[in-house]
Amino acid sequence: VNRFILISSILVNGAAMGQLLNPAYIFLNVFGLTLVAKLQAENHIRKSGINYTIIRPGGLKNDPPTGNIVMEPEDTLYEGSISRDQVAEVAVESLAYPESSYKVVEIVARPDAPKRAYHDLFGSIVQR
């Protein structure tokens, strides 16, 4: 395996972000500490040495895409939603852009967001 794309979730690091009382953080951890497990998986991938992109989408919608993709660095977004189609598109596009390597990105869709090329979206993220 030369490349690993992991779909995770915004708020995966909610405790460190001060979001312990965020309703979404509470809900997603009620059944089996889902976000805690996702954070453990992310940390394992980071330490593995493999070339990765970790994508943390907002709330997933089954509806067709509405709005343009907003991409932010890890531990930045704590609300918002995005269509599953757009999440899949970001995952596939991350394979084509070296700017996405060794990065964690958070994504949501917003109607008022400008349309940006994937090169610009991935290139604007500075990894910590």
Side-chain angles (χ1 to χ4, degrees), residues 38-106:
K38 286 183 179 209
L39 183 58
Q40 289 174 338
E42 286 186 14
N43 290 334
H44 182 75
I45 296 299
R46 288 181 199 229
K47 292 176 186 172
S48 73
I50 194 168
N51 184 351
Y52 67 86
T53 302
I54 297 171
I55 300 168
R56 295 178 177 173
L60 299 174
K61 298 185 328 186
N62 292 326
D63 302 329
T66 56
N68 292 316
I69 294 170
V70 173
M71 186 178 289
E72 296 291 340
E74 64 183 301
D75 301 338
T76 303
L77 298 174
Y78 55 89
E79 64 182 5
S81 60
I82 189 165
S83 79
R84 292 176 190 276
D85 293 346
Q86 287 171 303
V87 174
E89 184 178 316
V90 170
V92 170
E93 292 293 335
S94 70
L95 294 169
Y97 293 95
E99 298 86 359
S100 72
S101 293
Y102 302 100
K103 288 189 178 174
V104 178
V105 298
E106 296 185 342

Side-chain angles (χ1 to χ4, degrees), residues 2 8 14 18 20 26 28 33 37 40 55 64 67-68 76 93 112 127:
N2 297 326
S8 188
L20 281 174
I26 293 168
L28 289 169
L33 298 174
Q40 289 174 338
I55 300 168
N68 292 316
T76 303
E93 292 293 335
D112 59 343
Q127 191 63 36

